[in-house]
Amino acid sequence: MRFWADWLSWGRAWACCKASPYADFLTGYQHLTQVGFAVERSPDEAWCHFCGWRVNYEQAAYTLAYKIDAVPALWSGPRQIPEHPIRPLRPPNRAPDRPGT
């Protein structure tokens, strides 16, 4: 992402986790643990790693989403025309043992 941001002359304003507050991160972490995802770190430890990786692409991804006026998803930055972010819809669990649920 940084390559493309530099190539398009978007500049560099790399700020760690600028639009992802810890409370939102914790909600995502809890979603993962509730569905049985095996986590290897505590939320506090995972947050440090999350920010450490996210700083590599956050500003470039936000700028791209802004410039193409992408659908306003949660945690995806501001848009040219301010709209409320669209929450993802979770499909029902249609496991073979529960096909109608």
Side-chain angles (χ1 to χ4, degrees), residues 55-92:
V55 71
N56 291 313
Y57 64 84
E58 182 176 75
Q59 187 61 45
Y62 282 10
T63 302
L64 175 62
Y66 179 84
K67 290 195 179 273
I68 65 171
D69 205 20
V71 174
L74 293 173
W75 313 294
S76 64
R79 297 295 184 272
Q80 295 178 34
I81 300 172
E83 295 184 32
H84 294 291
I86 300 171
R87 289 192 154 289
L89 298 175
R90 291 179 179 252

Side-chain angles (χ1 to χ4, degrees), residues 33-57:
T33 58
Q34 287 170 357
V35 297
F37 188 84
V39 295
E40 298 176 358
R41 294 180 172 90
S42 71
D44 288 338
E45 292 172 323
W47 172 251
C48 292
H49 288 273
F50 174 80
C51 287
W53 282 101
R54 189 168 174 113
V55 71
N56 291 313
Y57 64 84

